[in-house]
Amino acid sequence: MNCPHTAAAPAGRGAGTVVIDPMVQDLDGETARLRDAGVLARIDLLGVPAWTVTRHAEARQLLLDARLVKNIDAWGLWQSGAVTHAWPLIGMIDAGRSMFTVDGAEHRRLRTKTSQALTPRRLEAIRPQIEKFTQELLDALDAAQGDDGVVDLKAVFAQPLPMRVVGMLMGVDESQHAMLTRQYKAFFSMLTPQDERLALLAELDVFYTDLVREKTARPTDDLTSALILAEEGGEPLTEEEVVGNLKAMVAAGHETTIGLVLNAVRALLAHPDQLRMVLAGEAGWDAVIEETLRWDTPTTHLLMRFATEDIAVGDEVIRKGEGVVVSYRAIGRDIEQHGPDADAFDITRPTRNRHMTFGHGPHICPGAALSRVEAGIALPALFTRFPGLRLAVPDAEITKLPVMTQNDMTAFPVLLG
């Protein structure tokens, strides 16, 4: 694997540090090690030390703490030059100016128009289009079966559906969807050499800049045009800000839903009694979606926030300038929040055990409702069309993509009936 690390390695890891595996060989084991390491655990991210929070209550508190910011300039390792653009994960932190990388009033200014475009009313308005995309992809799934009846549910259904939806919202032509899917896959993969990753980030910047300039000249009814025309707070968004918002929204808007749909299907196939309950109407698809989000989170680790002053968490102290990662998968398995059976998938779990998989506080995922709507359409449609759906390989043979932040699969081969 060609993954250059830091130009000047930070201080060595401590004895209790959990090393986050870039190849994602044992996600369940890593989750358990993080929980065992404590509420606030020391982690190693490709040679870079950081803290991660592993419990629901403390994560909720930190996600509301104004002393933790997204601004990379508050990171001591970045200020000192110990971390540079040679680090493979830097593109997820130094991602340009957008609502994902600023705080306070500037964050509100950059986020407002996006939030307005994803209101419940707007989502209901686009529901028929999502349903149409779903039916078209189910037809494609049926047609794509090989001679042995096997088809990749990810490649033909779960991956193109959210890209079509987010592309429609952003005004991205469908002819560009395959290219964007490839670019984002390469960006997140730990197998991509860093020089190639930086080059494709530059290519994405060019693509989105061209899109923004096209929409500036000829606005249409889409989110890109809305962001360009926004004047929230009396100050329009700059071209850089619109590009930054688009680049991050397209990434988050399709990656999260791919994981949600596939993880839900996988969980139901592994728990046929619960699948029968849903198909019999004894439990709702909303329960499937929420339990999947808690139990097998689409985002494993969210990078990164930085302490602007010392912050005490239990017996530990996050020092000024240190980085903090939110490990949503460990939080979703928190026994104190979800009970002693937190490691079990259970769609009858009491609703009081709410999760925070889409975040909490000012930076809560703006596309959370959209992802839920997509999954709420896709899952029942899939099982209604193919009630005999089953895995084409043993579950243990399903492999994870080498992505440290998303919980995604290489492929998901199934038999439709």
Side-chain angles (χ1 to χ4, degrees):
M1 180 181 68
N2 183 0
C3 279
H5 288 197
T6 55
R13 69 177 74 110
T17 298
V18 177
V19 178
I20 304 300
D21 179 14
M23 294 294 99
V24 197
Q25 295 298 309
D26 180 18
L27 193 53
D28 284 342
E30 180 179 278
T31 298
R33 289 190 293 276
L34 286 170
R35 289 189 308 178
D36 290 346
V39 173
L40 202 64
R42 292 296 287 176
I43 59 173
D44 178 286
L45 292 168
L46 298 178
V48 171
W51 291 102
T52 189
V53 57
T54 67
R55 305 289 169 82
H56 182 102
E58 287 77 10
R60 183 183 178 92
Q61 176 183 346
L62 286 172
L63 289 169
L64 292 173
D65 197 319
R67 296 172 296 175
L68 278 179
V69 300
K70 290 295 196 83
N71 185 355
I72 192 173
D73 291 332
W75 191 14
L77 294 177
W78 180 254
Q79 293 173 339
S80 69
V83 172
T84 72
H85 281 102
W87 188 49
L89 299 175
I90 195 63
M92 299 182 195
I93 304 171
D94 186 28
R97 184 174 172 79
S98 76
M99 62 181 171
F100 296 90
T101 58
V102 299
D103 300 278
E106 282 297 276
H107 170 257
R108 290 190 293 274
R109 183 178 74 86
L110 293 177
R111 181 185 173 103
T112 297
K113 201 65 180 182
T114 300
S115 300
Q116 290 175 349
L118 297 174
T119 61
R121 183 176 181 178
R122 171 66 171 157
L123 294 180
E124 282 305 306
I126 66 172
R127 178 181 288 272
Q129 194 64 47
I130 300 174
E131 292 171 344
K132 177 176 178 290
F133 291 157
T134 299
Q135 292 304 319
E136 290 173 354
L137 290 171
L138 290 174
D139 291 342
L141 195 64
D142 200 1
Q145 296 177 84
D147 293 339
D148 56 0
V150 177
V151 60
D152 183 358
L153 186 67
K154 176 183 176 179
V156 183
F157 182 73
Q159 185 167 269
L161 176 60
M163 181 56 81
R164 280 195 186 186
V165 174
V166 77
M168 173 188 67
L169 285 170
M170 305 297 177
V172 176
D173 191 88
E174 191 168 340
S175 64
Q176 303 294 327
H177 292 180
M179 177 275 295
L180 287 174
T181 298
R182 289 193 302 272
Q183 293 284 73
Y184 281 109
K185 181 180 178 181
F187 168 71
F188 286 114
S189 174
M190 290 295 100
L191 295 177
T192 302
Q194 182 64 354
D195 57 346
E196 292 182 19
R197 182 179 289 107
L198 294 174
L200 70 86
L201 279 175
E203 292 171 9
L204 285 171
D205 280 337
V206 170
F207 171 80
Y208 286 114
T209 299
D210 288 346
L211 176 65
V212 169
R213 291 175 180 174
E214 176 189 333
K215 297 293 182 179
T216 300
R218 291 176 293 277
T220 52
D221 183 19
D222 54 54
L223 182 54
T224 302
S225 300
L227 289 173
I228 293 166
L229 299 172
E231 294 186 358
E232 303 301 328
E235 183 182 350
L237 275 62
T238 66
E239 181 177 272
E240 178 194 4
E241 290 167 344
V242 176
V243 167
N245 272 4
L246 288 176
K247 189 166 57 176
M249 279 293 293
V250 174
H254 81 281
E255 287 286 345
T256 300
T257 306
I258 294 170
L260 172 54
V261 171
L262 291 179
N263 293 344
V265 172
R266 186 180 191 183
L268 289 172
L269 295 182
H271 299 83
D273 54 331
Q274 297 189 53
L275 175 57
R276 284 192 292 270
M277 288 177 61
V278 180
L279 297 180
E282 298 169 9
W285 286 103
D286 57 339
V288 173
I289 291 167
E290 298 309 316
E291 181 65 353
T292 301
L293 287 168
R294 178 200 72 82
W295 183 70
D296 202 9
T297 57
T299 299
T300 47
H301 309 290
L302 189 64
L303 280 54
M304 190 183 292
R305 297 173 189 238
F306 311 103
T308 56
E309 59 183 84
D310 290 358
I311 303 172
V313 181
D315 296 331
E316 302 284 1
V317 177
I318 304 167
R319 298 296 179 188
K320 179 181 177 180
E322 291 186 321
V324 179
V325 173
V326 183
S327 290
Y328 282 112
R329 198 171 193 276
I331 292 165
R333 302 290 185 96
D334 182 4
I335 292 173
E336 293 183 14
Q337 173 69 16
H338 300 292
D341 64 342
D343 284 325
F345 178 80
D346 181 6
I347 60 175
T348 67
R349 190 174 299 278
T351 55
R352 61 179 172 80
N353 287 329
R354 304 302 293 177
H355 61 80
M356 289 194 307
T357 294
F358 285 117
H360 184 66
H363 282 280
I364 191 170
C365 177
L370 175 61
S371 188
R372 286 182 167 106
V373 168
E374 291 179 71
I377 292 171
L379 291 169
L382 175 66
F383 281 99
T384 297
R385 179 78 169 267
F386 305 112
L389 181 76
R390 62 192 187 278
L391 278 175
V393 298
D395 183 85
E397 293 183 13
I398 301 293
T399 58
K400 297 288 187 182
L401 283 175
V403 177
M404 297 181 74
T405 53
Q406 268 74 45
N407 179 10
D408 198 357
M409 305 170 198
T410 305
F412 198 77
V414 297
L415 295 164
L416 301 179

